């Protein structure tokens, strides 16, 4: 019984411990426990989906298990895991490269936990060394390949996600280079079936350094981007507060809309634009100061959200539809506002 417990611990805990380390290293504290659990669950679903696919392919094709695991499994498993990351990008749950990498590793960790559980149940007689290799090698590899996938996809998607939200165009080709990189890493790991300790040592030596390197780069990138975005939004807000309009194309179109709409509607349009910009500036300041406690942002945050909702109701649906495309808000700004709301509610 004790031996069986050790098997489960060494097969399942290492990758979760490494995930906790990466979450701890996140300078912006983007990931909450609930989010990590959801991502692990998403990874578990991908593992559950890949298991019957592997069985059908092995049964239907003249492939041995060794050939399948070395040359076919990386393509199948990375595609299924990658689909989970595509979904997260599509629904705008990814903002910085930091949370892209941690989300990718978490989904991969969830995949590996379920995969190892299935093997533990199927082959309980295997020695502890096997589970050590799977826990410290295979599981870490699954997390790392998807973290690399997510980081590359984020890099390619940045131009769209930082552009105006109304012009956003989701493109699947963003994910192809990351998928190929993930498959290449997975293929490399799987080429050592007769030297599993070497594969494990390689994964432990390389994977954490790769992920931590991307995390460091992502932190510096996010800090620079936050400063630039907060400055631009604060300047636009100051111009609106002073009674003017930003000099860019959208600002001039907003001014023209106010002029056409008359004094009353123009005042409501300006109030809504000011409320939205004030909210996004607060969200960026919250991220920049790494305010993780709801108490640190609750007063200003709740007031900012109420102001936006009141301004939105005052505009009405017709004017709202005309104004929103003219505001300088990107998909990343929308993600930041969601982050602020979640910090307020503790969700």
């Amino acid at each position: 019984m004790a031996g069986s417990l050790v098997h489960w611990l060494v097969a399942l805990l290492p990758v979760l411990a490494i995930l906790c380390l990466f979450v701890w290293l996140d300078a912006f504290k983007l990931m909450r426990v609930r989010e990590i659990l959801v991502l692990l669950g998403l990874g578990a679903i991908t593992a559950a989906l890949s298991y019957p696919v592997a069985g059908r392919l092995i049964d239907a094709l003249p492939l041995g298990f060794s050939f399948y695991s070395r040359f076919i499994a990386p393509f199948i498993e990375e595609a299924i895991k990658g689909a989970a990351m595509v979904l997260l990008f599509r629904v705008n749950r990814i903002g910085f490269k930091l949370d892209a990498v941690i989300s990718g590793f978490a989904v991969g960790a969830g995949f590996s936990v379920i995969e190892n559980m299935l093997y533990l149940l199927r082959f309980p007689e295997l020695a502890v060394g096997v589970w050590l290799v799977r826990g410290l090698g295979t599981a870490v590899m699954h997390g790392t390949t998807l973290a690399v996938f997510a980081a590359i996809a984020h890099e390619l998607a940045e131009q769209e996600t930082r552009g105006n939200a109304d012009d956003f165009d989701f493109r699947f080709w963003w994910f192809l280079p990351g998928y190929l990189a993930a498959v290449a890493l997975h293929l490399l790991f799987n080429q050592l079936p007769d030297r599993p300790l070497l594969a494990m040592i390689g994964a432990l030596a390389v994977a954490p350094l790769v992920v931590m390197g991307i995390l460091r780069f992502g932190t510096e990138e996010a800090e620079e981007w936050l400063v630039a975005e907060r400055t631009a939004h604060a300047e636009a807000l100051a111009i609106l507060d002073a009674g003017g309009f930003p000099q860019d194309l959208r600002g001039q179109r907003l001014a023209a809309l106010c002029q056409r709409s008359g004094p009353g509607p123009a005042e409501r349009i300006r109030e809504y634009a000011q409320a939205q910009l004030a909210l996004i500036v607060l969200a960026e300041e919250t991220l920049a100061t790494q305010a993780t406690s709801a108490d640190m942002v609750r007063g200003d945050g709740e007031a900012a959200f109420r102001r936006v909702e009141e301004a939105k109701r005052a505009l009405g649906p017709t004017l709202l539809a005309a104004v929103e495309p003219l505001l300088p808000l990107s998909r990343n700004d929308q993600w930041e506002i969601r982050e602020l709301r979640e910090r307020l509610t503790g969700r």
Side-chain angles (χ1 to χ4, degrees):
M1 185 68 180
S4 178
L5 178 60
V6 171
H7 293 176
W8 281 76
L9 292 177
V10 299
L12 305 182
L13 289 187
V15 71
L16 298 177
I18 293 173
L19 172 62
C20 290
L21 172 64
F22 293 153
V23 172
W24 178 73
L25 289 172
D26 171 19
F28 293 94
K29 307 305 176 191
L30 299 172
M31 294 294 179
R32 287 163 286 280
V33 173
R34 178 177 173 273
E35 288 180 276
I36 292 297
L37 293 176
V38 169
L39 292 168
L40 288 170
L42 191 57
I45 292 171
T46 64
L49 292 173
S50 70
Y51 191 74
V53 172
R56 285 180 178 272
L57 284 175
I58 293 173
D59 291 342
L61 300 175
L63 302 173
F65 180 78
S66 177
F67 184 88
Y68 173 82
S69 65
R70 291 175 65 189
F71 299 108
I72 307 299
F75 290 92
I76 301 298
E77 292 175 357
E78 296 305 330
I80 295 175
K81 289 191 299 178
M85 289 308 303
V86 173
L87 174 64
L88 292 174
F89 274 91
R90 187 69 185 90
V91 299
N92 202 21
R93 295 302 304 184
I94 302 295
F96 297 152
K97 196 171 272 88
L98 278 170
D99 61 313
V101 171
I102 296 173
S103 296
F105 195 91
V107 173
F111 180 99
S112 70
V113 165
I114 295 301
E115 184 182 61
N116 280 351
M117 287 176 66
L118 291 171
Y119 282 120
L120 281 160
L121 293 171
R122 188 173 179 182
F123 305 108
E125 73 282 357
L126 295 179
V128 67
V130 174
W131 306 117
L132 188 66
V133 168
R134 291 202 61 84
L136 291 172
T138 307
V140 174
M141 176 273 296
H142 276 302
T144 303
T145 56
L146 201 57
V148 170
F149 174 106
I152 294 174
H154 185 276
E155 185 70 22
L156 295 173
E158 272 185 328
Q159 186 173 353
E160 282 289 331
T161 56
R162 294 184 181 181
N164 192 274
D166 194 59
D167 298 329
F168 178 75
D169 185 14
F170 188 82
R171 298 169 184 174
F172 284 100
W173 69 262
W174 294 335
F175 305 97
L176 181 59
Y179 168 70
L180 294 176
V183 168
L185 291 172
H186 197 152
L187 280 168
L188 181 63
F189 180 87
N190 281 12
Q191 297 314 300
L192 300 170
D194 54 341
R195 286 177 285 179
L197 285 177
L198 180 60
M200 180 192 76
I201 293 170
L204 277 178
V206 175
L209 293 178
V210 169
V211 176
M212 285 191 287
I214 299 173
L215 286 175
R216 181 174 180 179
F217 171 76
T219 300
E220 294 173 354
E221 178 186 63
E223 288 171 346
E224 293 174 3
W225 179 76
L226 268 177
V227 169
E229 287 292 295
R230 185 173 45 168
T231 300
H233 288 135
E235 288 175 353
L237 179 59
I239 292 171
L240 286 169
D241 288 344
F245 291 91
Q247 292 302 306
D248 60 11
L249 180 60
R250 294 183 187 278
Q252 294 309 299
R253 287 178 176 173
L254 188 63
L257 177 63
C258 287
Q259 188 173 8
R260 292 195 307 269
S261 301
E267 184 178 343
R268 294 195 296 273
I269 291 171
R270 181 182 293 277
E271 167 60 17
Y272 180 68
Q274 290 171 300
Q276 277 285 19
L277 281 169
L279 180 60
I280 187 59
V281 168
L282 177 61
E284 288 165 346
E285 288 175 349
T286 301
L287 285 170
T289 56
Q290 300 150 33
T292 57
S293 170
D295 293 337
M296 298 171 69
V297 293
R298 177 164 286 131
D300 290 342
E302 290 178 348
F305 277 109
R306 281 197 304 270
R307 182 185 178 190
V308 169
E309 289 304 314
E310 289 168 2
K312 187 181 293 186
R313 286 194 296 270
L315 272 182
T318 303
L319 265 182
L320 182 65
V323 171
E324 286 198 321
L326 304 180
L327 299 180
L329 299 180
S330 67
R331 288 263 293 186
N332 264 95
D333 295 333
Q334 292 173 344
W335 170 82
E336 288 168 355
I337 291 171
R338 179 187 291 163
E339 276 290 314
L340 177 62
R341 188 185 295 277
E342 291 179 353
R343 293 185 187 212
L344 284 170
T345 59
R347 293 175 58 186

